[in-house]
Amino acid sequence: MDTLSIVSFLGFTLLVAFIAWYATRKTDENSADGYYLGGRSLGAITIAGSLLLTNLSAEQIVGLNGQSFAQGVLVMAWETLAAISMIVTAIYLLPKYMRSGITTIPEFVQERFDAQTKSILSILFLVAFGIVLLPTILYSGSLAFSTMFDLSETLGISQSVVIWICVWSIGIIGSIYAIFGGLKAVAVSDLVNAIGLLIGGLLIPVFGLMLIGDGSVSDGLSELWTENPEKFNAKGEIDSFIPFSTIFTGMMIAQMYYWGTNQSILQRVFGAKSLADGQKGMILAGFVKFLIPIIVVLPGVIAWHVFGNDLKNADQAYPALVRKVLPGAFLGFFAAVLFGAILSSFNSLLNSSSTLFGVDLYRQYFNKNASELKMVKAGKVFGLLLALISMSIAPFIANAPDGLFSYIQESLGSLSVPILAVVAVGMATKNVPALGAKIVLTVGVMMYLISQFVLSPHFVDAALAEAAANGITDAKELSIIKAKAYPHFLHIMGILFVINVGFMLIMGNLFPNKNVYTPKITDEIDITPWKYAKVVGVAITILVLSTYLIF
């Protein structure tokens, strides 16, 4: 990175910080609503930008483009199908959440079941956020950033030292936003970074197509489509990353968990001025999410056309393409945007962790009579402690075995099935008791972990051993045998979701809830729904489904 790049990087990063400070300078950060929900003052556009940046991190940009480099546009399902789950959340779940005036998802679970169920759910979220996700985001984001811009050579220091510097830089800046600025500072900075990411992210495929088409984007797209038809098949085979059949089972379970029950996502919407603003923000984000594959999938296919088998690792595809096609004048700006994307994922999770501790655990177990000010301070202290722990752990992930990230992502699936089952059944029924929810939140997690890390390796190893004994050596044939040996983890999620829901319904019949659940209605915000929500939602859903007719 030359001097111009460094200046533009620092300039955009400081601009984001100034805008976040200016927008939040009058917000009362000493009240729970002010700190955790931005004073319930977020507009639709701010919510949409924050949702997109919370979700879209550097590891996702690099990782999805790496997968599309290897297998084509079929991985777009993670992005396009997210739009449908966001529509469902906006139309059906948000009214039920926001009419109660809740700050966290565990609060809703407490209202429906009891305080112990809320505590179990809060702890599950904190384990996922604090021990796994925060260190992973810090390390993988730092690795992607340092590799893409070759910071080791630029700074003249070793890669391990660069990782330490990046981890602590992201961690400290993210902590300032999340702990001292509250949700509104996080959301406003997310909005500015989201605009930058959309602009910067679109530059990569544009310049990439111009490279292929000798200056013409349309000629480049035509050649890309003609020369690589296998990369534009959205219907994955049985041994692909996303077999087509998984779209109808666990894919939507994973999407509904993430967009419909995940605290770090929904906290942005709970800070809305009104239910209508929350719905508009999520639906707008859903529409943009439908377009995001242009940024996180198409560059991978372009990289395949440009580099072919020259790259040692698929995850090098995006960084290599950026270095090849992006003019030097844009490099600092794109570096700042990417830095902001990494920062956003970190500070969003950290802010949500502070909220979960301060709102759901501090008053219940540490100080039942705590004032809002004390609750906010406790959340800040917890967030700071969690940030220091995650920053200390993150660099050591470099010493972990290969494939750790995919291993972690798969293990996090253990949370999505039981949490979604509990929330869905809690909304749909009134007679299922708290005991059923508690069993699902504990036993359900163990069932998934046993399936994926005990049963799956056993059956796969047995199938491959039998194939070896039969003299099968063809890589494609072995890949299919491995895929058929045990159901894909998304299928397992679908199966376990049905089992968990069925168990809770049986518990409701055998041991019906004695205290009938009556949802409370808040008067803190306007809960009138957006009158065009269903019409716009249906239109976006049709757009998403049409992509599978095109590809």
Side-chain angles (χ1 to χ4, degrees):
M1 294 175 69
D2 56 22
T3 303
L4 179 61
S5 298
I6 295 172
V7 170
S8 59
F9 170 79
L10 293 175
F12 186 80
T13 302
L14 291 174
L15 175 65
V16 173
F18 174 77
I19 293 174
W21 167 80
Y22 187 82
T24 59
R25 69 194 190 285
K26 295 181 180 179
T27 303
D28 180 12
E29 304 291 353
N30 291 322
S31 67
D33 273 1
Y35 180 72
Y36 295 124
L37 297 178
R40 297 189 190 270
S41 63
L42 304 183
I45 295 177
T46 302
I47 291 169
S50 187
L51 287 173
L52 290 170
L53 255 289
T54 299
N55 169 249
L56 198 60
S57 64
E59 63 176 294
Q60 185 174 359
I61 297 172
V62 173
L64 274 176
N65 275 303
Q67 288 191 336
S68 68
F69 175 87
Q71 295 196 357
V73 300
L74 63 89
V75 299
M76 74 179 185
W78 286 114
E79 299 299 310
T80 54
L81 293 179
I84 296 179
S85 62
M86 294 165 82
I87 300 299
V88 173
T89 298
I91 294 174
Y92 296 105
L93 301 186
L94 283 189
K96 297 180 185 298
Y97 288 144
M98 296 185 72
R99 71 184 180 189
S100 299
I102 59 174
T103 302
T104 68
I105 293 299
E107 270 189 281
F108 172 81
V109 170
Q110 179 180 19
E111 288 181 13
R112 173 57 182 85
F113 296 106
D114 62 15
Q116 288 183 334
T117 309
K118 177 195 74 171
S119 298
I120 295 172
L121 183 57
S122 297
I123 291 170
L124 285 178
F125 274 131
L126 287 174
V127 168
F129 293 170
I131 298 179
V132 180
L133 287 177
L134 283 170
T136 302
I137 285 171
L138 282 175
Y139 174 72
S140 59
S142 298
L143 182 63
F145 187 83
S146 61
T147 302
M148 189 175 295
F149 301 104
D150 200 11
L151 294 184
S152 179
E153 183 175 336
T154 301
L155 300 176
I157 54 180
S158 68
Q159 178 70 2
S160 61
V161 175
V162 169
I163 293 295
W164 274 97
I165 293 173
C166 287
V167 162
W168 281 83
S169 297
I170 296 169
I172 291 171
I173 297 173
S175 300
I176 292 171
Y177 276 116
I179 297 172
F180 301 107
L183 177 69
K184 192 168 184 178
V186 172
V188 171
S189 65
D190 284 350
L191 172 60
V192 181
N193 280 316
I195 296 171
L197 183 63
L198 290 176
I199 295 172
L202 287 171
L203 289 176
I204 306 305
V206 167
F207 284 126
L209 291 173
M210 288 175 65
L211 175 68
I212 297 173
D214 293 325
S216 171
V217 173
S218 59
D219 289 349
L221 185 59
S222 177
E223 182 177 342
L224 188 69
W225 182 286
T226 304
E227 296 296 322
N228 307 279
E230 75 285 356
K231 295 294 183 181
F232 289 95
N233 181 10
K235 301 174 180 65
E237 298 178 6
I238 188 172
D239 60 332
S240 66
F241 292 137
I242 306 174
F244 185 65
S245 57
T246 60
I247 291 174
F248 306 100
T249 57
M251 173 64 77
M252 288 310 299
I253 300 296
Q255 299 285 13
M256 283 307 305
Y257 156 76
Y258 185 82
W259 295 103
T261 66
N262 188 342
Q263 175 64 28
S264 66
I265 289 295
L266 288 173
Q267 190 170 334
R268 279 103 197 91
V269 191
F270 294 162
K273 298 175 184 177
S274 64
L275 171 59
D277 276 288
Q279 290 180 315
K280 290 175 188 176
M282 181 156 268
I283 291 173
L284 174 59
F287 176 70
V288 177
K289 195 70 174 167
F290 164 71
L291 302 174
I292 286 293
I294 297 173
I295 295 174
V296 300
V297 176
L298 181 58
V301 180
I302 295 172
W304 171 260
H305 183 89
V306 173
F307 301 112
N309 292 316
D310 292 341
L311 298 181
K312 298 179 182 178
N313 189 317
D315 286 335
Q316 295 176 332
Y318 194 72
L321 187 66
V322 170
R323 287 197 297 268
K324 186 170 184 66
V325 306
L326 196 64
F330 292 99
L331 194 60
F333 166 71
F334 190 73
V337 166
L338 189 66
F339 186 76
I342 303 166
L343 198 64
S344 173
S345 296
F346 177 77
N347 62 29
S348 296
L349 283 169
L350 193 61
N351 180 261
S352 293
S353 299
S354 299
T355 305
L356 286 166
F357 179 81
V359 174
D360 293 332
L361 298 177
Y362 181 70
R363 270 185 173 171
Q364 185 171 345
Y365 295 106
F366 298 95
N367 189 348
K368 293 182 179 180
N369 300 315
S371 64
E372 286 198 358
L373 179 59
K374 283 188 176 181
M375 187 171 67
V376 168
K377 286 183 176 179
K380 289 182 177 181
V381 171
F382 179 81
L384 182 59
L385 178 62
L386 202 63
L388 292 172
I389 292 172
S390 63
M391 286 185 279
S392 300
I393 293 173
F396 294 104
I397 295 179
N399 301 320
D402 292 336
L404 176 67
F405 297 137
S406 59
Y407 186 87
I408 288 175
Q409 291 303 316
E410 193 170 334
S411 44
L412 285 176
S414 62
L415 303 177
S416 58
V417 174
I419 290 175
L420 181 61
V422 166
V423 172
V425 171
M427 281 188 175
T429 70
K430 293 184 178 181
N431 64 323
V432 175
L435 178 61
K438 292 172 189 174
I439 292 175
V440 164
L441 286 175
T442 50
V443 178
V445 171
M446 295 305 301
M447 287 171 63
Y448 180 89
L449 293 176
I450 291 171
S451 168
Q452 295 310 109
F453 304 114
V454 177
L455 298 180
S456 179
H458 169 75
F459 285 105
V460 169
D461 289 346
L464 292 178
E466 183 179 351
N470 293 329
I472 298 174
T473 57
D474 181 72
K476 179 65 175 177
E477 192 173 354
L478 288 173
S479 178
I480 294 174
I481 290 172
K482 182 178 178 181
K484 289 182 176 180
Y486 195 77
H488 191 278
F489 80 92
L490 288 172
H491 284 318
I492 292 297
M493 287 175 64
I495 293 168
L496 290 181
F497 179 76
V498 173
I499 291 173
N500 286 336
V501 169
F503 172 78
M504 292 183 72
L505 295 178
I506 292 172
M507 289 290 289
N509 286 326
L510 296 178
F511 310 100
N513 192 16
K514 295 180 181 178
N515 301 317
V516 178
Y517 166 62
T518 304
K520 71 176 185 180
I521 306 296
T522 184
D523 57 1
E524 295 183 34
I525 60 170
D526 181 3
I527 57 172
T528 305
W530 183 36
K531 63 180 179 179
Y532 298 115
K534 291 184 179 180
V535 174
V536 177
V538 169
I540 294 174
T541 301
I542 292 172
L543 277 176
V544 171
L545 296 178
S546 69
T547 59
Y548 286 91
L549 298 177
I550 296 172
F551 298 108

